[in-house]
mmCIF file of all heavy atoms in Angstrom:
data_model
loop_
_atom_site.group_PDB
_atom_site.id
_atom_site.type_symbol
_atom_site.label_atom_id
_atom_site.label_comp_id
_atom_site.label_asym_id
_atom_site.label_seq_id
_atom_site.Cartn_x
_atom_site.Cartn_y
_atom_site.Cartn_z
ATOM 1 N N LEU A 12 -86.275 -82.526 -38.285
ATOM 2 C CA LEU A 12 -87.046 -83.595 -37.632
ATOM 3 C C LEU A 12 -87.591 -84.634 -38.623
ATOM 4 O O LEU A 12 -87.084 -85.750 -38.702
ATOM 5 C CB LEU A 12 -88.199 -82.988 -36.822
ATOM 6 C CG LEU A 12 -89.102 -84.001 -36.120
ATOM 7 C CD1 LEU A 12 -88.415 -84.659 -34.946
ATOM 8 C CD2 LEU A 12 -90.394 -83.328 -35.644
ATOM 9 N N ASP A 13 -88.618 -84.244 -39.386
ATOM 10 C CA ASP A 13 -89.337 -85.202 -40.224
ATOM 11 C C ASP A 13 -88.475 -85.742 -41.360
ATOM 12 O O ASP A 13 -87.863 -84.979 -42.101
ATOM 13 C CB ASP A 13 -90.609 -84.561 -40.804
ATOM 14 C CG ASP A 13 -91.633 -84.245 -39.727
ATOM 15 O OD1 ASP A 13 -91.785 -85.061 -38.809
ATOM 16 O OD2 ASP A 13 -92.264 -83.177 -39.806
ATOM 17 N N GLU A 14 -88.458 -87.016 -41.477
ATOM 18 C CA GLU A 14 -87.687 -87.755 -42.477
ATOM 19 C C GLU A 14 -86.185 -87.740 -42.198
ATOM 20 O O GLU A 14 -85.423 -88.417 -42.866
ATOM 21 C CB GLU A 14 -87.956 -87.267 -43.917
ATOM 22 C CG GLU A 14 -89.369 -87.614 -44.374
ATOM 23 C CD GLU A 14 -89.628 -87.413 -45.856
ATOM 24 O OE1 GLU A 14 -88.748 -87.707 -46.676
ATOM 25 O OE2 GLU A 14 -90.730 -86.962 -46.182
ATOM 26 N N THR A 15 -85.757 -86.918 -41.223
ATOM 27 C CA THR A 15 -84.354 -86.948 -40.812
ATOM 28 C C THR A 15 -84.250 -87.837 -39.573
ATOM 29 O O THR A 15 -83.584 -88.865 -39.602
ATOM 30 C CB THR A 15 -83.831 -85.530 -40.535
ATOM 31 O OG1 THR A 15 -83.866 -84.790 -41.767
ATOM 32 C CG2 THR A 15 -82.408 -85.540 -39.996
ATOM 33 N N LEU A 16 -84.924 -87.443 -38.493
ATOM 34 C CA LEU A 16 -84.900 -88.234 -37.259
ATOM 35 C C LEU A 16 -86.067 -89.210 -37.180
ATOM 36 O O LEU A 16 -85.977 -90.241 -36.532
ATOM 37 C CB LEU A 16 -84.935 -87.300 -36.041
ATOM 38 C CG LEU A 16 -83.705 -86.402 -35.868
ATOM 39 C CD1 LEU A 16 -83.969 -85.359 -34.789
ATOM 40 C CD2 LEU A 16 -82.480 -87.229 -35.515
ATOM 41 N N THR A 17 -87.166 -88.838 -37.814
ATOM 42 C CA THR A 17 -88.351 -89.700 -37.736
ATOM 43 C C THR A 17 -88.719 -90.227 -39.108
ATOM 44 O O THR A 17 -88.503 -89.566 -40.120
ATOM 45 C CB THR A 17 -89.566 -88.930 -37.180
ATOM 46 O OG1 THR A 17 -90.016 -88.009 -38.170
ATOM 47 C CG2 THR A 17 -89.207 -88.191 -35.910
ATOM 48 N N ASP A 18 -89.283 -91.408 -39.084
ATOM 49 C CA ASP A 18 -89.678 -92.044 -40.333
ATOM 50 C C ASP A 18 -91.009 -91.454 -40.784
ATOM 51 O O ASP A 18 -92.061 -92.045 -40.584
ATOM 52 C CB ASP A 18 -89.789 -93.557 -40.128
ATOM 53 C CG ASP A 18 -89.997 -94.281 -41.439
ATOM 54 O OD1 ASP A 18 -90.137 -93.611 -42.478
ATOM 55 O OD2 ASP A 18 -90.017 -95.520 -41.424
ATOM 56 N N ALA A 19 -90.931 -90.285 -41.377
ATOM 57 C CA ALA A 19 -92.148 -89.592 -41.789
ATOM 58 C C ALA A 19 -92.904 -90.369 -42.869
ATOM 59 O O ALA A 19 -94.104 -90.206 -43.016
ATOM 60 C CB ALA A 19 -91.817 -88.189 -42.280
ATOM 61 N N PHE A 20 -92.204 -91.229 -43.595
ATOM 62 C CA PHE A 20 -92.889 -92.012 -44.639
ATOM 63 C C PHE A 20 -94.053 -92.803 -44.043
ATOM 64 O O PHE A 20 -95.133 -92.840 -44.596
ATOM 65 C CB PHE A 20 -91.927 -93.006 -45.311
ATOM 66 C CG PHE A 20 -90.893 -92.347 -46.157
ATOM 67 C CD1 PHE A 20 -89.547 -92.620 -45.968
ATOM 68 C CD2 PHE A 20 -91.249 -91.456 -47.153
ATOM 69 C CE1 PHE A 20 -88.574 -92.019 -46.748
ATOM 70 C CE2 PHE A 20 -90.286 -90.851 -47.945
ATOM 71 C CZ PHE A 20 -88.946 -91.135 -47.738
ATOM 72 N N PHE A 102 -101.000 -89.025 -38.697
ATOM 73 C CA PHE A 102 -99.562 -88.842 -38.922
ATOM 74 C C PHE A 102 -98.784 -88.994 -37.610
ATOM 75 O O PHE A 102 -97.819 -89.749 -37.527
ATOM 76 C CB PHE A 102 -99.302 -87.462 -39.530
ATOM 77 C CG PHE A 102 -97.862 -87.201 -39.862
ATOM 78 C CD1 PHE A 102 -97.372 -87.468 -41.129
ATOM 79 C CD2 PHE A 102 -96.976 -86.710 -38.909
ATOM 80 C CE1 PHE A 102 -96.038 -87.247 -41.442
ATOM 81 C CE2 PHE A 102 -95.645 -86.485 -39.207
ATOM 82 C CZ PHE A 102 -95.174 -86.748 -40.482
ATOM 83 N N ASN A 106 -95.898 -91.824 -36.906
ATOM 84 C CA ASN A 106 -94.578 -91.251 -37.149
ATOM 85 C C ASN A 106 -93.589 -91.662 -36.054
ATOM 86 O O ASN A 106 -93.628 -91.131 -34.955
ATOM 87 C CB ASN A 106 -94.730 -89.717 -37.197
ATOM 88 C CG ASN A 106 -93.483 -89.020 -37.644
ATOM 89 O OD1 ASN A 106 -92.651 -89.588 -38.340
ATOM 90 N ND2 ASN A 106 -93.359 -87.761 -37.258
ATOM 91 N N LYS A 107 -92.718 -92.609 -36.358
ATOM 92 C CA LYS A 107 -91.787 -93.144 -35.350
ATOM 93 C C LYS A 107 -90.350 -92.734 -35.664
ATOM 94 O O LYS A 107 -89.998 -92.563 -36.829
ATOM 95 C CB LYS A 107 -91.877 -94.681 -35.347
ATOM 96 C CG LYS A 107 -93.253 -95.228 -35.018
ATOM 97 C CD LYS A 107 -93.455 -95.323 -33.515
ATOM 98 C CE LYS A 107 -94.750 -96.026 -33.142
ATOM 99 N NZ LYS A 107 -95.972 -95.249 -33.368
ATOM 100 N N PRO A 108 -89.508 -92.605 -34.623
ATOM 101 C CA PRO A 108 -88.107 -92.275 -34.895
ATOM 102 C C PRO A 108 -87.415 -93.420 -35.641
ATOM 103 O O PRO A 108 -87.783 -94.577 -35.450
ATOM 104 C CB PRO A 108 -87.470 -92.119 -33.514
ATOM 105 C CG PRO A 108 -88.544 -92.255 -32.529
ATOM 106 C CD PRO A 108 -89.766 -92.790 -33.194
ATOM 107 N N PHE A 109 -86.432 -93.108 -36.455
ATOM 108 C CA PHE A 109 -85.603 -94.150 -37.060
ATOM 109 C C PHE A 109 -84.825 -94.813 -35.923
ATOM 110 O O PHE A 109 -84.459 -94.140 -34.944
ATOM 111 C CB PHE A 109 -84.629 -93.544 -38.069
ATOM 112 C CG PHE A 109 -85.279 -93.177 -39.373
ATOM 113 C CD1 PHE A 109 -85.514 -91.857 -39.706
ATOM 114 C CD2 PHE A 109 -85.660 -94.162 -40.281
ATOM 115 C CE1 PHE A 109 -86.122 -91.513 -40.911
ATOM 116 C CE2 PHE A 109 -86.265 -93.834 -41.486
ATOM 117 C CZ PHE A 109 -86.492 -92.509 -41.807
ATOM 118 N N ALA A 112 -81.783 -93.026 -34.575
ATOM 119 C CA ALA A 112 -81.892 -91.613 -34.168
ATOM 120 C C ALA A 112 -81.376 -91.381 -32.743
ATOM 121 O O ALA A 112 -80.454 -90.584 -32.538
ATOM 122 C CB ALA A 112 -83.336 -91.134 -34.305
ATOM 123 N N ARG A 142 -96.069 -82.485 -31.374
ATOM 124 C CA ARG A 142 -95.497 -83.653 -32.060
ATOM 125 C C ARG A 142 -94.059 -83.892 -31.615
ATOM 126 O O ARG A 142 -93.645 -85.021 -31.397
ATOM 127 C CB ARG A 142 -95.504 -83.427 -33.581
ATOM 128 C CG ARG A 142 -96.845 -83.617 -34.223
ATOM 129 C CD ARG A 142 -96.687 -84.244 -35.599
ATOM 130 N NE ARG A 142 -96.206 -83.351 -36.642
ATOM 131 C CZ ARG A 142 -95.172 -83.605 -37.417
ATOM 132 N NH1 ARG A 142 -94.451 -84.695 -37.240
ATOM 133 N NH2 ARG A 142 -94.824 -82.765 -38.359
ATOM 134 N N PHE A 146 -91.385 -87.308 -28.661
ATOM 135 C CA PHE A 146 -90.179 -88.117 -28.842
ATOM 136 C C PHE A 146 -89.264 -88.035 -27.627
ATOM 137 O O PHE A 146 -88.956 -86.944 -27.153
ATOM 138 C CB PHE A 146 -89.438 -87.670 -30.103
ATOM 139 C CG PHE A 146 -90.252 -87.853 -31.351
ATOM 140 C CD1 PHE A 146 -90.773 -86.776 -32.030
ATOM 141 C CD2 PHE A 146 -90.529 -89.134 -31.820
ATOM 142 C CE1 PHE A 146 -91.565 -86.953 -33.166
ATOM 143 C CE2 PHE A 146 -91.306 -89.322 -32.953
ATOM 144 C CZ PHE A 146 -91.830 -88.221 -33.629
ATOM 145 N N PHE A 148 -86.159 -88.578 -27.511
ATOM 146 C CA PHE A 148 -84.855 -87.986 -27.819
ATOM 147 C C PHE A 148 -84.839 -86.463 -27.668
ATOM 148 O O PHE A 148 -83.789 -85.852 -27.673
ATOM 149 C CB PHE A 148 -84.352 -88.401 -29.207
ATOM 150 C CG PHE A 148 -85.233 -88.041 -30.376
ATOM 151 C CD1 PHE A 148 -85.577 -86.718 -30.618
ATOM 152 C CD2 PHE A 148 -85.687 -89.017 -31.251
ATOM 153 C CE1 PHE A 148 -86.363 -86.374 -31.708
ATOM 154 C CE2 PHE A 148 -86.486 -88.688 -32.351
ATOM 155 C CZ PHE A 148 -86.823 -87.346 -32.569
ATOM 156 N N ARG A 212 -82.637 -89.572 -48.066
ATOM 157 C CA ARG A 212 -83.658 -90.600 -47.824
ATOM 158 C C ARG A 212 -84.333 -90.981 -49.138
ATOM 159 O O ARG A 212 -84.871 -92.048 -49.285
ATOM 160 C CB ARG A 212 -84.730 -90.074 -46.862
ATOM 161 C CG ARG A 212 -84.211 -89.699 -45.473
ATOM 162 C CD ARG A 212 -84.015 -90.916 -44.609
ATOM 163 N NE ARG A 212 -83.745 -90.545 -43.229
ATOM 164 C CZ ARG A 212 -83.121 -91.349 -42.385
ATOM 165 N NH1 ARG A 212 -82.698 -92.536 -42.773
ATOM 166 N NH2 ARG A 212 -82.904 -90.965 -41.153
ATOM 167 N N LEU A 228 -78.466 -91.971 -40.469
ATOM 168 C CA LEU A 228 -77.989 -91.151 -39.349
ATOM 169 C C LEU A 228 -76.716 -91.745 -38.748
ATOM 170 O O LEU A 228 -75.810 -91.009 -38.347
ATOM 171 C CB LEU A 228 -79.062 -91.057 -38.278
ATOM 172 C CG LEU A 228 -80.250 -90.143 -38.589
ATOM 173 C CD1 LEU A 228 -81.368 -90.392 -37.596
ATOM 174 C CD2 LEU A 228 -79.828 -88.679 -38.561
#
Side-chain angles (χ1 to χ4, degrees):
L12 179 72
D13 293 321
E14 291 191 39
T15 296
L16 295 170
T17 72
D18 188 356
F20 290 127
F102 183 93
N106 189 25
K107 300 275 187 287
F109 283 107
R142 283 216 285 127
F146 298 109
F148 59 58
R212 298 281 190 203
L228 286 167

